[in-house]
Amino acid sequence: MSTMKNVFDSTVVAELTARINALTPTTKPQWGKMTVDQMLAHLSVAYEVADEDKHHRPNFFMRLVLRTIVKGKVVGPTPHPRSSPTAPAFRMTGRKDFARE
């Protein structure tokens, strides 16, 4: 079983930053089905949920379920399996503006 890289390690941050900076509007996916602009928008949603009031917040019961069951799988050390389902708020359809994302 592989583990995810530690994003609090400066070497990993440098590697990820280099990978992001190398992306172009024509970069082909290596892992999923999204286009590069959709993938960047998908990743941005996590920050929007945490930092802005742009997305609907779950009710108390759903927050409890998310914390107790889902959180460990989403932010745990094990990478997500390929073709695993994506929460509706994180699904991207249609093309996005690469430069903006």
Side-chain angles (χ1 to χ4, degrees), residues 2-42:
S2 65
T3 58
M4 295 195 34
K5 295 180 181 188
N6 182 349
V7 296
F8 297 105
D9 178 328
S10 60
T11 305
V12 173
V13 171
E15 176 189 332
L16 295 173
T17 301
R19 285 179 61 191
I20 291 168
N21 288 334
L23 294 173
T24 69
T26 59
T27 300
K28 301 292 180 211
Q30 294 181 4
W31 196 80
K33 299 176 185 175
M34 291 184 204
T35 60
V36 66
D37 47 286
Q38 289 172 329
M39 180 269 304
L40 291 171
H42 166 84

Side-chain angles (χ1 to χ4, degrees), residues 35-91:
T35 60
V36 66
D37 47 286
Q38 289 172 329
M39 180 269 304
L40 291 171
H42 166 84
L43 296 175
S44 295
V45 171
Y47 294 104
E48 291 171 354
V49 167
D51 295 337
E52 302 173 11
D53 288 330
K54 191 173 181 178
H55 300 278
H56 172 72
R57 300 250 186 230
N59 64 31
F60 173 78
F61 176 73
M62 191 53 135
R63 284 194 313 267
L64 182 64
V65 169
L66 291 170
R67 280 190 195 127
T68 57
I69 298 172
V70 178
K71 183 179 177 182
K73 293 180 183 193
V74 173
V75 297
T78 306
H80 297 281
R82 288 182 187 258
S83 300
S84 55
T86 300
F90 294 89
R91 290 187 189 131

